[in-house]
Amino acid sequence: MPSRGQVGEPAENTLEDLDAAALEYAERRAGASRAELDAAREDLVRYCLPFAGRLARRYRGRGEYLEDLEQVARLGLVKAVDRYDPERGSFTAYAVITISGELKRHFRDRTWGVHVPRRVQDLSLEVGHASMLLTSALARTPTVGELAERLGVTEAAVLEALESAAGYSPASLNAPVAEDGAMEFGDLLGGVDGDLESVTDKLTVTDLLMRMPARERRMLALRFYGNRTQAEIAEELGISQMHVSRLLSRALTWLREAMLSDNPPHWEGETRGGRPGMQVSVGRDGDTLLVRVRGEVDRDTADRLRIGLRHAMKGHGVSAVLVDLSAVPLVDAGGVSVLLEAAEAAAAARMEFGVTDAQPYVARILAVSGLAGVLRRA
């Protein structure tokens, strides 16, 4: 190996010297003992250290200490020596690729203050290099379009790379912003959020709204979120404007009382235990079974209606079942599901099934839910 007696000195070895030294190392490996192999490997690494140092110095001025870059370059050199195969070509070319890759990986994984995708990191470096070349050639700062044309990418990708470059070395929140150092950069960010005080109230109102019947919830949503008038709400629900006014007043009064109480007051219209007062009665008119429902049919009462319909349709020897909804102001998804199940059960039993006298709002819900064919008028 060239200059083996001077391996510890930082000689400026030529590329030809590196290839010759690598070939000599490959010859010494053949048939060498473990100790001889370690000695030959150490000789080649020491001989190539100045070359690794020159590659490291190419990356100066990027915010990293030169000593750290030299350590990374030496690690890449060791990897190149350990993986070197003389049959694959020049050792110098392989070492340049391995050491440069290790240095770039160091910048990508260790030096960015904010995590940025690898493709954006690589493009950010290319944009910076292209910007320097174009600035020198054009005697001015290049535009985004010129950078995109130079790199063969879109302008959006260039803008993303330029914005992401700020994440390489983000400003410290502890950096002083006044000459006396009394104020830091972090003191200028953020502030008191007045909305935080209303978070608890919003959560409480949300829970209380879920305790109200679906009709009242819908009316409140239409009035205060949809900015609908009482007349428009009355027309949509199929009730009078006076009734809407009374229901809204009752709902708001109950919400105010519940907000100020640890235990929400009893909702008017509930039966004992807090269950809405829905009633199901069964009668018969010849071969037709009449099921009369009174009250709101929602997720709290749907199971009672399901049980009532199942009991009514079994063992009565009738050919038709009519469900009277004239006294039902509201049917939600739970009630619709029950009626759909009842219609399917009646079809399987070869029985006629119908819903009679549904209020306009309820009829519209049933129609759009696939029950238009069973709606009847008395």
Side-chain angles (χ1 to χ4, degrees):
M1 184 176 296
S3 305
R4 287 192 57 190
Q6 306 292 329
V7 292
E9 299 177 4
E12 291 296 324
N13 304 318
T14 64
L15 302 183
E16 293 78 5
D17 291 339
L18 294 185
D19 286 341
L23 290 174
E24 182 180 343
Y25 166 68
E27 294 175 357
R28 293 176 61 187
R29 286 190 306 183
S33 63
R34 183 64 186 178
E36 293 172 343
L37 184 61
D38 291 342
R41 174 177 178 272
E42 183 177 353
D43 286 344
L44 180 58
V45 170
R46 286 180 178 273
Y47 186 76
C48 296
L49 284 179
F51 174 72
R54 291 198 299 273
L55 290 179
R57 286 192 289 274
R58 293 182 181 180
Y59 292 84
R60 287 182 300 183
R62 300 190 181 184
E64 286 291 282
Y65 291 109
L66 179 59
E67 292 80 1
D68 293 339
L69 297 178
E70 290 177 343
Q71 290 294 332
V72 174
R74 291 169 183 173
L75 175 61
L77 172 63
V78 172
K79 291 182 178 180
V81 171
D82 291 340
R83 300 171 184 172
Y84 172 59
D85 183 355
E87 296 182 358
R88 294 187 177 182
S90 168
F91 169 77
T92 303
Y94 180 64
V96 169
I97 295 174
T98 305
I99 296 173
S100 299
E102 200 70 26
L103 287 165
K104 292 179 180 179
R105 187 178 302 110
H106 171 75
F107 278 98
R108 183 181 71 243
D109 299 337
R110 304 292 182 181
T111 62
W112 283 74
V114 178
H115 175 72
V116 175
R118 178 176 178 179
R119 62 173 182 82
V120 180
Q121 292 182 2
D122 294 340
L123 182 58
S124 178
L125 296 176
E126 294 178 8
V127 168
H129 182 66
S131 179
M132 289 189 296
L133 294 178
L134 289 176
T135 300
S136 176
L138 302 174
R140 60 174 174 82
T141 302
T143 65
V144 173
E146 292 170 340
L147 289 171
E149 183 179 359
R150 171 91 178 189
L151 298 175
V153 298
T154 63
E155 293 187 11
V158 173
L159 289 173
E160 183 182 18
L162 292 173
E163 293 175 358
S164 301
Y168 181 79
S169 181
S172 172
L173 294 178
N174 299 115
V177 294
E179 295 182 358
D180 56 1
M183 181 176 294
E184 298 179 348
F185 180 64
D187 297 331
L188 304 179
L189 303 178
V192 178
D193 188 353
D195 290 339
L196 288 177
E197 299 180 359
S198 62
V199 170
T200 302
D201 291 340
K202 291 180 180 179
L203 293 175
T204 303
V205 169
T206 300
D207 179 67
L208 292 175
L209 286 174
M210 295 307 298
R211 300 189 183 193
M212 300 174 65
R215 180 180 59 180
E216 275 70 7
R217 292 201 303 269
R218 179 176 176 81
M219 292 174 60
L220 290 173
L222 291 173
R223 181 69 183 91
F224 296 103
Y225 291 92
N227 294 323
R228 308 284 286 276
T229 65
Q230 292 186 6
E232 292 172 338
I233 296 173
E235 182 180 357
E236 180 165 340
L237 299 183
I239 58 179
S240 68
Q241 181 178 345
M242 184 62 68
H243 194 189
V244 170
S245 178
R246 287 196 298 266
L247 292 176
L248 284 175
S249 177
R250 183 181 68 171
L252 294 175
T253 299
W254 183 84
L255 280 175
R256 281 192 293 267
E257 294 178 0
M259 287 288 292
L260 299 175
S261 174
D262 293 334
N263 297 316
H266 177 74
W267 173 262
E268 183 182 351
E270 290 181 340
T271 59
R272 180 175 298 179
R275 302 176 67 186
M278 189 202 72
Q279 300 176 358
V280 178
S281 60
V282 179
R284 184 166 179 170
D285 183 9
D287 291 338
T288 301
L289 191 67
L290 297 177
V291 180
R292 293 183 174 86
V293 184
R294 183 179 182 84
E296 297 176 352
V297 184
D298 55 21
R299 63 178 183 177
D300 296 320
T301 61
D303 285 338
R304 276 186 281 164
L305 178 59
R306 179 181 290 107
I307 295 172
L309 287 174
R310 287 179 180 176
H311 178 73
M313 297 172 64
K314 288 182 179 179
H316 287 83
V318 295
S319 60
V321 176
L322 285 180
V323 181
D324 184 357
L325 298 184
S326 60
V328 176
L330 178 72
V331 175
D332 71 357
V336 171
S337 176
V338 171
L339 293 175
L340 286 171
E341 292 176 8
E344 293 174 357
R350 299 181 181 278
M351 299 169 57
E352 182 183 354
F353 182 83
V355 175
T356 182
D357 286 337
Q359 298 184 21
Y361 174 67
V362 174
R364 286 197 295 270
I365 292 178
L366 299 181
V368 300
S369 302
L371 290 168
V374 302
L375 294 175
R376 305 283 189 273
R377 300 299 300 180

